Amino acid sequence: MLNREHMPVSSQDEGEQQLYIEDLKNRIYGKGLKYHIVTYGCQMNVHDSEKLAGMLSEIGYTETGRQQDADLILFNTCCVRENAELRVYGNVGALKSYKQANPNRIIGICGCMMQQSEVADYIRQTFPFVDLIFGTHNLHRFPQLLLQALDSNHTVVEILDSEGAVVEHVPTKRTQGVSAWVTIMYGCNNFCSYCIVPHVRGRERSRRPADILAEIQKLAEAGYKEITLLGQNVNSYGKDMDEQYLFHNLLRDINEIEGIQRIRFMTSHPKDLSDDLIRAMAECKKVCKHLHLPVQAGSDRILHAMNRKYSSKYYLDLVEKVRKAMPDIALSTDIIVGFPGENEEDFEATLRIAEKVRYDSAFTFLYSPRKGTPAAKRRDQVPAEQKKQRLARLNELINGICMEKNQEHLGKIKEVLVEGPSKNRKDVLTGRTDTNKIVNFKGSPELIGSLIMVRITEAHSWSLEGEIVKND
Ligand code: SAH
Ligand code: SF4
Ligand code: F3S
């Protein structure tokens, strides 16, 4: 067992990691080993899993879609809400029989959940068959940790409690397709009172502009058409660096990269959505006219208790400003119901703000107390049944609005980036409008990766149906 809790991550780790990859490569050469990664949580985790897959591919492992065929099973976990954690516990428990069937199989657990030391301890004690546990700050050290796990009879544990420098050049195995994720910053400084993310992802660290631009240039050369920039709060990009280079500067530079046709980003905190950024969004042709702007609640009292640092009036004024600059922009949001102390009046304020903004889509959540956050300590927790009833009322309202907004598209012709075949329907392709609406339509697979014009023929709450009118 090993613990490096107080050792900072340094850029030296970049070169070191390659040596371990080489070491492992020789060791597993010719064995035909396979890996399977299960990912929970947000896009940031999905992209982290692409890095884990990238390191494994370089080592010589191949991917398998079947857990039972894998020589290495890795769970990349999320702890943003309790149900995410419960799913992990259940599914890790189920791995015991796999380990018994093949004791050489390596089982690893990483990600946000492991970054909470009591959870990592619990996993180690409850599931002693787990070979490897590591957190979010040392993802790039996976090759060295895997090497140790292969040689050890005990669980190898490495959780760092400080984030250290940003580590570049981690091999990445991206999901093939037209879209690629690019993390532009790590961590969060906001400490919303309900949220565990800053506790498990550390403080904000921006990647250097040159590194981001070089990565996107390469993606463009590799044929990717759409880039989604990731960060817990992308619009505070650059504020932790000395250079006077902020998110709007980055958007403008990416807009110039040949081959990239669409730029998306998430997530934006309303308090950091500057006029410069709104202007850059409006002026850059490739920046999609879709903004994910989490509101979380409509009551000023609750917003204050959530430490969101804005009022409902500020939020509504911001929406107006954004719509004035980009009249057709689609807005989506995150909303939490049942935050401690939320009464009927507060909840109605949330319904009202959703009605006023008329979101194109919304992710709605039951408040889930997270250990270590201020809101979890409050005595005035809302009873579970009440939370559920409120969520159902909110969802009914939102689904109705989303349906109406989608119906406004009927008969219109929209530009769609074709992403791939529909998952469940033969001869049907799927793509998105720049406003992030999913559109399904009949067409031939050669169209994948191109921008085409589609007439909208049918509207559902979460997607549209259409037919191709013109191939550009
Ligand atoms: N950084 C992003 C995403 C954070 S997590 C942002 O600020 O928007 C995604 C969403 O999960 C949050 O927007 C919030 O709506 C929800 N969330 C976070 N903590 C939660 C909790 N304890 N209970 C319920 N929902 C939560
Ligand atoms: Fe969590 Fe708030 Fe940071 Fe988003 S901005 S990750 S909700 S603390
Ligand atoms: Fe979950 Fe971590 Fe993302 S807690 S939501 S996977 S940053």
Side-chain angles (χ1 to χ4, degrees):
M1 185 172 125
L2 154 129
N3 212 323
R4 232 180 52 134
E5 273 182 21
H6 299 289
M7 286 170 72
V9 178
S10 76
S11 52
Q12 212 186 338
D13 288 9
E14 256 173 61
E16 222 182 75
Q17 154 212 331
Q18 202 54 40
L19 294 177
Y20 289 103
I21 288 180
E22 290 305 317
D23 209 343
L24 279 161
K25 217 185 238 178
N26 295 329
R27 182 137 165 191
I28 72 150
Y29 183 76
K31 290 193 180 162
L33 298 188
K34 299 194 181 82
Y35 73 88
H36 180 82
I37 303 178
V38 182
T39 309
Y40 302 82
C42 65
Q43 281 82 1
M44 198 77 80
N45 252 22
V46 172
H47 187 41
D48 280 352
S49 289
E50 293 183 338
K51 292 182 185 166
L52 292 163
M55 290 185 263
L56 286 167
S57 301
E58 274 218 14
I59 291 166
Y61 280 86
T62 53
E63 191 173 8
T64 170
R66 284 159 51 98
Q67 215 157 270
Q68 60 270 42
D69 294 344
D71 302 281
L72 185 141
I73 301 173
L74 205 51
F75 277 27
N76 189 6
T77 62
C78 168
C79 53
V80 75
R81 284 170 290 277
E82 191 186 16
N83 53 9
E85 291 199 334
L86 294 178
R87 278 194 3 245
V88 170
Y89 288 132
N91 294 340
V92 172
L95 293 179
K96 189 173 178 184
S97 60
Y98 290 149
K99 183 74 182 178
Q100 279 166 344
N102 174 7
N104 289 330
R105 181 174 267 155
I106 295 284
I107 294 179
I109 311 189
C110 62
C112 294
M113 218 173 135
M114 296 306 104
Q115 208 53 54
Q116 309 166 93
S117 52
E118 74 284 2
V119 175
D121 284 346
Y122 176 79
I123 293 264
R124 189 158 49 90
Q125 282 157 16
T126 319
F127 307 107
F129 56 86
V130 170
D131 302 285
L132 173 59
I133 293 176
F134 59 105
T136 59
H137 300 325
N138 50 351
L139 180 104
H140 61 283
R141 284 177 46 83
F142 174 54
Q144 14 314 35
L145 298 173
L146 176 57
L147 202 53
Q148 289 171 25
L150 285 167
D151 286 334
S152 170
N153 295 325
H154 306 287
T155 312
V156 171
V157 183
E158 187 183 271
I159 317 284
L160 308 190
D161 56 10
S162 72
E163 50 280 77
V166 170
V167 176
E168 293 290 342
H169 311 303
V170 177
T172 306
K173 181 174 182 279
R174 295 175 194 272
T175 315
Q176 283 304 309
V178 291
S179 297
W181 310 110
V182 175
T183 300
I184 61 165
M185 61 189 299
Y186 300 88
C188 179
N189 289 355
N190 291 320
F191 288 95
C192 301
S193 63
Y194 50 80
C195 185
I196 192 78
V197 172
H199 305 266
V200 295
R201 286 274 176 176
R203 295 299 71 71
E204 289 177 1
R205 286 102 63 209
S206 298
R207 288 178 66 198
R208 285 184 299 262
D211 289 329
I212 298 171
L213 294 170
E215 181 178 348
I216 298 177
Q217 181 70 49
K218 273 206 189 130
L219 290 169
E221 285 159 16
Y224 287 94
K225 304 283 191 260
E226 180 180 87
I227 297 297
T228 303
L229 307 173
L230 297 179
Q232 295 302 341
N233 179 16
V234 283
N235 41 11
S236 66
Y237 172 80
K239 290 185 182 168
D240 58 320
M241 295 191 295
D242 295 336
E243 304 157 55
Q244 292 289 310
Y245 188 93
L246 298 174
F247 187 53
H248 62 96
N249 303 107
L250 184 66
L251 277 187
R252 288 184 189 276
D253 282 347
I254 299 172
N255 196 54
E256 297 303 314
I257 297 180
E258 214 174 300
I260 296 301
Q261 293 178 335
R262 285 182 170 184
I263 306 162
R264 299 188 185 278
F265 55 86
M266 64 190 310
T267 300
S268 304
H269 194 298
K271 76 174 168 53
D272 295 310
L273 196 81
S274 67
D275 290 348
D276 282 336
L277 176 54
I278 296 174
R279 210 169 306 124
M281 280 188 79
E283 288 170 10
C284 293
K285 257 194 86 185
K286 296 177 184 174
V287 174
C288 289
K289 302 302 176 264
H290 166 229
L291 184 63
H292 186 63
L293 196 62
V295 64
Q296 311 296 2
S299 145
D300 288 341
R301 206 173 67 84
I302 296 294
L303 284 169
H304 182 73
M306 285 178 160
N307 193 27
R308 288 294 288 179
K309 305 185 185 84
Y310 54 81
S311 64
S312 55
K313 175 164 184 338
Y314 169 91
Y315 185 94
L316 287 169
D317 289 348
L318 189 60
V319 165
E320 199 180 308
K321 198 155 48 168
V322 167
R323 284 195 167 137
K324 202 162 160 211
M326 293 164 278
D328 291 329
I329 195 163
L331 292 174
S332 58
T333 201
D334 292 348
I335 299 177
I336 298 176
V337 299
F339 183 84
E342 181 191 79
N343 58 30
E344 177 61 24
E345 205 179 309
D346 296 315
F347 173 65
E348 281 171 13
T350 295
L351 293 177
R352 267 199 310 279
I353 206 161
E355 244 171 346
K356 277 190 188 146
V357 178
R358 293 181 59 76
Y359 292 105
D360 290 83
S361 68
F363 298 94
T364 55
F365 306 106
L366 291 175
Y367 167 71
S368 169
R370 304 284 66 210
K371 199 159 174 261
T373 62
K377 297 189 192 90
R378 287 180 53 159
R379 298 260 175 95
D380 48 356
Q381 301 290 330
V382 176
E385 202 39 49
Q386 198 158 41
K387 281 198 239 184
K388 281 191 200 149
Q389 281 173 11
R390 286 182 186 161
L391 185 70
R393 282 164 69 193
L394 177 65
N395 284 345
E396 198 185 325
L397 173 78
I398 284 182
N399 290 347
I401 295 172
C402 295
M403 183 69 184
E404 282 168 25
K405 294 222 65 152
N406 279 350
Q407 279 168 343
E408 288 166 16
H409 287 68
L410 285 175
K412 293 196 177 142
I413 294 173
K414 297 279 164 189
E415 191 179 55
V416 170
L417 177 61
V418 188
E419 291 178 3
S422 154
K423 278 201 190 98
N424 341 319
R425 285 153 61 192
K426 214 173 149 260
D427 301 329
V428 173
L429 297 175
T430 187
R432 275 167 213 262
T433 63
D434 85 326
T435 52
N436 211 31
K437 307 262 179 208
I438 296 171
V439 188
N440 298 309
F441 50 91
K442 281 212 162 115
S444 98
E446 293 107 70
L447 293 173
I448 294 169
S450 54
L451 283 167
I452 58 164
M453 303 311 281
V454 175
R455 181 182 292 107
I456 307 303
T457 53
E458 224 179 294
H460 312 291
S461 282
W462 302 111
S463 66
L464 302 168
E465 303 289 318
E467 55 193 21
I468 299 173
V469 287
K470 189 177 90 189
N471 194 355
D472 269 352

